[in-house]
């Protein structure tokens, strides 16, 4: 009855508007017309994978349908509001109850969605500089032709209010945390949206809670490389390196990364070669009296303690190849800054690497972290450097016996195979893993060696990526690809690598390291999945979609344990046979279909 009254009031306002408009155009009447018109608004609930455009309410779909959820899980629902006139809205949800009348025991938070600007679409990044032409995949595989704005940033400001400009569409993300002990069943309630100009709309909401409980420790291994540069951790004025404010920003980032699925923390060591800044996590020390090199591991200890407390399982050290670049040594006697290759120390780079890695191994062993440490050697090596790579791998085995190496290999199947015996955790791109699924990957499984999956600028359409102008579900797809090709982890090169982009809300094309001028640059959003605020990093809708994929992979793993045929059937519904020739789309990207598959998995697991 209450809903009927509210709807009647809203319809009465529209009828009044029509009557006033028909009566004439005197100033008084026109003022009344405007008042009624300004109070009118539209709102609707949307799927977590819908894209909301500030200038296009009709294009926001797909519409919300009752989702199915596991326990120990955060359910996301989007709310889009479009207002004829500028006004303020209050959003309220009444009590949620299941069929037995049990109150929902979880928590509800509201987060405003903020827009970002996409100034250019994904294109062939190898195109000639200054040629802003787009290939045939625009807009066939993309959500919209640039330029456009899209609601992408999940604000850190909690609240149940929203201001919407005249003619614009704004959005709220509702996040319902379903605790492990939540009783199963279908929960129902209502969301009421009240405009400051008098109109009100009530929307029914429901979701089904299933038996299975998500175990965070059983998710796929996952890492998005964190940049610890202070300017990459917040907007506005940067904090001082390794100050308490810096550590607070790092801790905030780590908490966020864990919430969105990462369990591996990319860790700087003695230098920071990507930036050249003289602020190493581990300081190199020289005693000019005893002529001995040592290392200050106090910051590393705090780093590991911080992220260990947050639940990270592994720490991956930066690459041996770059070790020693831009590195300065502090003389503990004189306080002078020295070069390790200078006249005082007389150490070449290979010698320095050996001394450091031995010291690192001893320290990690002393603090009980050696079995949780993995070491990068050389990022995306060419075949011409295989002997150099072999030397680094031998050095790692000699100085840190038992520590696994991990590296990304992007040069195709032949190159990936060339390095496979030299890699403990081999991270393949989609081209390599599809071509080697029945050969190198199987061989590695027999050897108890891990294979992971990664992507970056490539692949380009029709293969999936995770860019801002592509469907949100493509983020969810990558953990499915891991399951399909027996990858036990996923790696992405940049969580917050802005590389000189001063405002990632206004510019989405990431520059190359050596130049910041568009159109030379990475596709929109390729360099980051988190956005800076004055308080620190906040997540994107893309990274929340990826988290959904990790949950899917957890469910698939549990299904595989009991029914291998069911597992394969589900995979075939998402990744088609056409995928491997790489000339066709070959994968599912419909949010509706993903919701159907999620329900199918949860219904099946309910039987156990």
């Amino acid at each position: 009855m209450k809903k009927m009254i509210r709807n009647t009031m809203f319809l009465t306002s529209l009828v009044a508007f029509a009557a006033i408009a028909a009566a004439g155009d005197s100033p008084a009447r026109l003022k009344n017309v405007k008042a009624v018109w300004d109070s009118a608004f539209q709102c609707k609930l949307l799927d977590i994978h819908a894209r909301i455009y500030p200038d296009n309410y009709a294009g926001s779909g797909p519409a919300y349908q009752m989702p199915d959820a596991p326990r120990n899980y955060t359910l996301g629902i989007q709310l889009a509001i479009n207002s004829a006139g500028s006004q303020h809205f209050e959003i309220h949800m009444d009590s949620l109850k299941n069929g037995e009348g049990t109150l929902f025991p979880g928590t509800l938070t509201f987060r405003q969605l903020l827009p970002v600007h996409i100034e250019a679409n994904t294109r062939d990044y190898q195109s000639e500089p200054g040629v802003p032409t787009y290939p045939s995949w625009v807009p066939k595989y993309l959500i919209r032709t640039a330029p456009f704005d899209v609601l992408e940033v999940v604000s850190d400001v909690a609240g149940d209010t929203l201001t919407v400009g005249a003619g614009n569409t704004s959005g709220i993300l509702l996040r319902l945390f379903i605790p492990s002990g939540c009783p199963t069943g279908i929960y129902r309630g209502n969301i009421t949206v009240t405009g400051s100009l008098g109109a009100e709309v009530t929307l029914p909401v429901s979701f089904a809670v299933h038996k299975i409980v998500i175990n965070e420790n059983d998710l796929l291994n996952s890492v998005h490389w964190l940049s610890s540069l202070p300017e990459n951790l917040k907007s506005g004025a940067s904090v001082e390196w390794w100050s308490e404010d810096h550590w607070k920003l790092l801790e905030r980032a780590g908490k966020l990364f864990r919430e969105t699925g990462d369990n591996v923390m990319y860790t700087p060591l003695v230098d920071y070669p990507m930036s050249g800044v003289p602020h190493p996590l581990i300081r190199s020390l020289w005693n000019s009296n005893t002529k001995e090199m040592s290392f200050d591991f106090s910051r590393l200890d705090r780093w590991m303690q911080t992220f260990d407390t947050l639940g990270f399982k592994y720490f991956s050290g930066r690459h041996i190849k770059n070790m020693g670049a831009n590195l300065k040594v502090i003389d503990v006697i004189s306080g002078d800054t020295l070069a390790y290759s200078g006249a005082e120390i007389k150490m070449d780079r290979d010698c320095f690497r050996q001394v450091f890695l031995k010291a690192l191994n001893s320290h990690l062993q002393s603090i009980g972290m050696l079995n949780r440490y993995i070491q990068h050697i050389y990022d995306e090596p060419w075949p011409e450097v295989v002997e150099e790579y072999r030397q680094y791998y031998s050095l790692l085995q000699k100085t840190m016996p038992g520590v696994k190496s991990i590296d990304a290999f992007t040069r195709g199947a032949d190159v990936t195979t060339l390095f496979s015996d030299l890699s403990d955790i081999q991270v393949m791109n989609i081209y390599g893993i599809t071509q080697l699924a029945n050969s190198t990957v199987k061989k590695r499984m027999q050897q108890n060696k891990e294979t992971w999956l990664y992507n970056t600028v490539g692949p380009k359409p029709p293969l999936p990526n995770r860019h801002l102008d592509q469907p949100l579900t493509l983020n969810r797809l990558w953990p499915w690809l891991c399951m399909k090709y027996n990858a036990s982890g996923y790696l992405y090169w940049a969580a917050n690598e802005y590389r000189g982009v001063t405002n990632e809300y206004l510019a989405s094309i990431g520059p190359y390291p050596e130049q910041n001028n568009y159109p030379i640059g990475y596709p929109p959003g390729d360099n980051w999945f988190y956005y800076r605020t004055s308080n620190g990093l906040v997540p994107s809708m893309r990274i929340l979609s990826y988290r959904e994929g990790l949950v899917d992979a957890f469910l698939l793993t549990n299904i595989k344990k009991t029914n291998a045929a069911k597992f394969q059937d589900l995979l075939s519904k998402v990744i088609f046979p056409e995928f491997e020739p790489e000339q066709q789309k070959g994968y599912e990207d419909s949010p509706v279909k993903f919701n159907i598959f999620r329900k199918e998995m949860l219904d099946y697991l309910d039987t156990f």
Side-chain angles (χ1 to χ4, degrees):
M1 179 62 69
K2 188 177 180 182
K3 178 182 177 184
M4 183 180 297
I5 292 171
R6 287 171 177 159
N7 288 343
T8 301
M9 291 173 60
F10 185 61
L11 289 172
T12 300
S13 297
L14 296 180
V15 171
F17 163 72
I20 294 169
D25 59 354
S26 69
R29 289 193 177 103
L30 289 176
K31 183 176 181 180
N32 288 334
V33 169
K34 184 177 187 304
V36 175
W37 172 249
D38 284 351
S39 70
F41 69 91
Q42 306 174 79
C43 62
K44 59 183 175 181
L45 296 175
L46 296 167
D47 186 90
I48 186 69
H49 288 97
R51 272 308 199 185
I52 303 175
Y53 307 109
D55 66 343
N56 187 353
Y57 178 75
S60 298
Y64 163 84
Q65 294 180 327
M66 185 180 76
D68 290 78
R71 296 184 289 180
N72 190 30
Y73 167 79
T74 300
L75 173 66
I77 304 171
Q78 296 186 87
L79 171 66
I81 305 176
N82 178 276
S83 180
S86 179
Q87 60 179 312
H88 186 72
F89 292 91
E90 293 186 359
I91 299 97
H92 171 75
M93 179 178 282
D94 61 21
S95 297
L96 292 161
K97 297 179 181 180
N98 67 10
E100 286 72 43
T102 303
L103 285 171
F104 175 64
T107 57
L108 168 66
T109 57
F110 296 93
R111 292 289 187 271
Q112 183 178 353
L113 297 174
L114 306 178
V116 299
H117 183 64
I118 291 83
E119 69 270 36
N121 284 110
T122 296
R123 64 186 184 93
D124 189 344
Y125 67 98
Q126 294 177 333
S127 297
E128 288 297 318
V131 184
T133 56
Y134 304 119
S136 60
W137 65 65
V138 179
K140 184 177 180 181
Y141 296 104
L142 308 180
I143 59 174
R144 190 169 175 181
T145 302
F148 64 92
D149 290 353
V150 66
L151 299 189
E152 157 77 353
V153 181
V154 182
S155 169
D156 59 344
V157 179
D160 54 2
T161 59
L162 181 67
T163 299
V164 181
N168 290 335
T169 299
S170 295
I172 288 278
L173 178 65
L174 292 74
R175 305 197 75 193
L176 292 134
F177 175 69
I178 302 170
S180 299
C182 180
T184 59
I186 296 176
Y187 288 81
R188 302 182 189 277
N190 293 294
I191 293 175
T192 303
V193 182
T194 306
S196 57
L197 299 179
E200 185 174 281
V201 175
T202 298
L203 302 169
V205 61
S206 61
F207 54 92
V209 176
H210 292 256
K211 285 172 55 177
I212 193 167
V213 177
I214 300 299
N215 185 342
E216 295 291 329
N217 294 325
D218 288 343
L219 298 182
L220 280 172
N221 292 319
S222 175
V223 59
H224 293 71
W225 286 357
L226 169 71
S227 168
S228 56
L229 270 70
E231 61 266 31
N232 285 348
L233 294 170
K234 68 179 293 290
S235 59
S238 295
V239 300
E240 292 294 323
W241 272 94
W242 309 123
S243 63
E244 286 303 311
D245 287 337
H246 189 198
W247 283 109
K248 288 178 182 178
L249 290 171
L250 290 168
E251 183 177 10
R252 175 189 170 112
K255 182 179 180 181
L256 180 58
F257 282 31
R258 280 297 294 138
E259 289 174 352
T260 48
D262 278 6
N263 69 343
V264 181
M265 178 50 65
Y266 189 51
T267 301
L269 298 173
V270 287
D271 45 35
Y272 210 114
M274 291 185 72
S275 66
V277 294
H279 300 284
L281 183 67
I282 301 169
R283 292 185 297 171
S284 303
L285 308 176
W286 175 254
N287 188 315
S288 53
N289 288 341
T290 63
K291 308 299 182 183
E292 292 178 331
M293 176 80 77
S294 62
F295 301 91
D296 179 359
F297 291 109
S298 58
R299 289 174 184 163
L300 176 68
D301 291 348
R302 183 167 181 178
W303 177 280
M304 288 189 163
Q305 181 181 16
T306 297
F307 296 119
D308 173 52
T309 300
L310 293 172
F312 282 85
K313 186 176 182 180
Y314 298 111
F315 296 85
S316 59
R318 287 183 178 269
H319 302 80
I320 292 175
K321 162 69 176 177
N322 298 323
M323 202 170 283
N326 305 305
L327 184 144
K328 300 297 181 181
V329 182
I330 300 172
D331 188 333
V332 296
I333 302 301
S334 66
D336 294 339
T337 299
L338 309 171
Y340 62 81
S341 58
E344 172 68 25
I345 303 177
K346 299 178 182 178
M347 185 180 292
D348 64 23
R349 195 163 176 179
D350 288 337
C351 181
F352 174 82
R353 291 187 182 109
Q354 181 168 317
V355 170
F356 170 69
L357 291 173
K358 282 184 176 180
L360 178 61
N361 187 80
S362 296
H363 183 74
L364 291 174
Q365 190 170 37
S366 70
I367 62 173
M369 297 295 286
L370 190 59
N371 63 337
R372 295 171 58 188
Y373 183 79
I374 53 181
Q375 180 65 57
H376 288 279
I377 293 178
Y378 193 130
D379 193 34
E380 299 182 337
W382 291 90
E384 291 81 2
V385 302
V386 66
E387 289 307 317
E388 181 184 1
Y389 193 96
R390 191 186 307 277
Q391 292 175 14
Y392 295 146
Y393 184 60
S394 297
L395 176 63
L396 178 64
Q397 291 179 311
K398 177 181 178 181
T399 56
M400 305 188 78
V403 169
K404 293 181 179 180
S405 69
I406 177 172
D407 274 317
F409 297 86
T410 191
R411 309 299 176 185
D414 292 343
V415 177
T416 302
T417 301
L418 180 65
F419 286 90
S420 187
D421 289 339
L422 302 176
S423 182
D424 299 316
I425 303 174
Q426 187 166 35
V427 189
M428 300 183 186
N429 65 10
I430 199 65
Y431 302 104
I433 206 166
T434 54
Q435 295 171 38
L436 299 173
N438 295 317
S439 55
T440 304
V441 175
K442 282 190 174 181
K443 178 183 176 183
R444 293 182 62 81
M445 292 175 68
Q446 293 166 357
Q447 297 171 334
N448 292 318
K449 285 187 171 183
E450 292 185 67
T451 301
W452 288 17
L453 179 63
Y454 87 112
N455 64 301
T456 174
V457 174
K460 58 190 177 184
L463 288 176
N465 212 308
R466 301 176 63 192
H467 299 139
L468 275 165
D469 57 354
Q470 296 176 332
L472 264 180
T473 46
L474 299 197
N475 293 272
R476 186 171 182 171
L477 182 65
W478 283 88
W480 284 78
L481 291 168
C482 288
M483 299 301 294
K484 168 72 174 178
Y485 295 106
N486 292 303
S488 57
Y490 174 84
L491 179 150
Y492 197 85
W493 76 280
N496 59 325
E497 195 66 62
Y498 309 100
R499 289 183 172 176
V501 172
T502 57
N503 189 335
E504 65 274 18
Y505 295 78
L506 301 179
S508 296
I509 301 295
Y512 284 129
E514 66 275 8
Q515 49 197 338
N516 296 332
N517 56 309
Y518 174 78
I520 301 175
Y522 288 178
D526 190 88
N527 293 54
W528 56 81
F529 284 90
Y530 300 88
Y531 288 78
R532 292 170 288 190
T533 73
S534 58
N535 297 320
L537 298 180
V538 293
S540 65
M541 292 301 295
R542 288 178 296 147
I543 202 67
L544 295 187
S545 172
Y546 170 76
R547 165 74 185 188
E548 291 297 312
L550 291 176
V551 172
D552 290 339
F554 173 83
L555 300 177
L556 286 167
T557 299
N558 280 271
I559 291 171
K560 187 178 182 180
K561 293 175 183 177
T562 61
N563 192 333
K566 179 74 172 176
F567 169 77
Q568 291 296 337
D569 177 62
L570 285 162
L571 283 176
S572 68
K573 291 178 179 179
V574 174
I575 304 163
F576 313 144
E578 304 94 289
F579 184 83
E580 293 188 19
E582 301 166 4
Q583 299 301 316
Q584 301 181 55
K585 181 179 170 184
Y587 52 85
E588 185 59 70
D589 63 3
S590 164
V592 175
K593 291 288 184 66
F594 273 102
N595 289 340
I596 291 172
F597 303 147
R598 172 69 66 84
K599 175 175 170 52
E600 183 177 350
M601 289 189 284
L602 290 171
D603 283 343
Y604 175 79
L605 291 168
D606 278 345
T607 64
F608 292 91

